[in-house]
Amino acid sequence: MGRQSRAKRARREHATYLATVSNCEGTWLERPPDADEQAKIDSAGKILRRFRMQALQLGADQDAFNRFSLELFRDERFTPLHFSDDLIEMILDDIGEPPVVEDENDPSFTNYLLRALGAVASSRLRRTMAEQARRFLPQYVAAGQYKEALTIEHNCYMTVMSDAATPLLVQMLVSGLARYYEEHEADEAVASSIPAEGDGHAE
């Protein structure tokens, strides 16, 4: 197999993996970045290296950084990165349903998220999610939103370089769970409203 054929197969396999672990199918993130997009990502990364002092300040208060990160990744533009139904079902099969928590001080749901990420957050998934998140950097840098861009960059770095439950992974998991249950509850409601065959409703 020639070099070009191997490269094409690698791109196809990568695209398939992206659609397996995230909600990117049918979006611009479904395919790996082309040369032009990669150049913009690299350029954004170079610009952000000028803001080392601001990056250090972001990490000075870890709790504040985590809160800001989670809020940032709740933005609708990150919807394609939410964990896919396949990944959510893998988690449910492995560790069961998430607990219902009424007390905000109850750590049960947080512990569940940590277990869930431990079950699926392989090095490949971490690298893939980080690479996908970095594709948003040009948007934020072009808009002068350097704090947001630095937050994305640091999350991507920590996601790849550690086993931590980074805000990027946590929010993509939480959003994936929320979407999964909303869609499946809607499907169940529709199914329950359809009269069973022979129940007398049809003439």
Side-chain angles (χ1 to χ4, degrees):
M1 182 182 295
R3 182 182 300 175
Q4 288 186 345
S5 296
R6 287 196 298 271
K8 287 181 180 178
R9 186 177 70 177
R11 286 195 295 270
R12 285 196 301 270
E13 290 175 350
H14 187 59
T16 300
Y17 182 71
L18 291 176
T20 300
V21 300
S22 71
N23 193 37
C24 70
E25 188 172 5
T27 73
W28 65 282
L29 290 171
E30 184 177 9
R31 299 292 177 182
D34 58 20
D36 181 60
E37 183 187 351
Q38 189 59 56
K40 291 178 180 177
I41 296 170
D42 294 341
S43 176
K46 289 179 181 178
I47 292 172
L48 291 179
R49 285 197 283 275
R50 304 174 191 167
F51 296 87
R52 292 180 179 176
M53 187 60 66
Q54 290 91 329
L56 290 173
Q57 292 172 350
L58 275 178
D61 186 336
Q62 192 63 47
D63 289 340
F65 175 78
N66 288 342
R67 288 194 299 271
F68 184 77
S69 297
L70 291 171
E71 186 63 32
L72 171 64
F73 290 126
R74 289 188 190 107
D75 191 285
E76 288 184 358
R77 75 183 75 186
F78 292 100
T79 298
L81 296 191
H82 296 171
F83 281 5
S84 68
D85 283 359
D86 287 345
L87 203 57
I88 296 300
E89 288 176 353
M90 187 184 302
I91 291 170
L92 297 180
D93 288 342
D94 193 26
I95 66 173
E97 303 275 343
V100 176
V101 177
E102 297 180 355
D103 183 354
E104 63 180 15
N105 295 316
D106 186 342
S108 299
F109 187 67
T110 298
N111 292 338
Y112 177 88
L113 295 178
L114 294 175
R115 289 178 59 206
L117 289 176
V120 299
S122 65
S123 58
R124 184 182 186 188
L125 182 137
R126 287 174 170 274
R127 184 175 64 255
T128 297
M129 296 302 292
E131 289 173 350
Q132 289 287 77
R134 291 194 81 244
R135 297 175 71 176
F136 290 90
L137 289 179
Q139 299 178 27
Y140 285 95
V141 171
Q145 295 177 284
Y146 298 115
K147 179 179 180 180
E148 289 81 357
L150 289 166
T151 297
I152 294 170
E153 188 78 310
H154 187 62
N155 267 276
C156 293
Y157 175 80
M158 292 302 299
T159 297
V160 172
M161 300 302 294
S162 74
D163 294 326
T166 60
L168 170 62
L169 293 178
V170 168
Q171 191 56 51
M172 296 309 104
L173 168 58
V174 170
S175 296
L177 280 167
R179 186 198 68 254
Y180 180 87
Y181 280 104
E182 286 174 2
E183 291 181 353
H184 282 261
E185 287 175 0
D187 290 343
E188 290 174 3
V190 170
S192 65
S193 69
I194 300 175
E197 185 177 354
D199 66 356
H201 286 280
E203 293 296 328

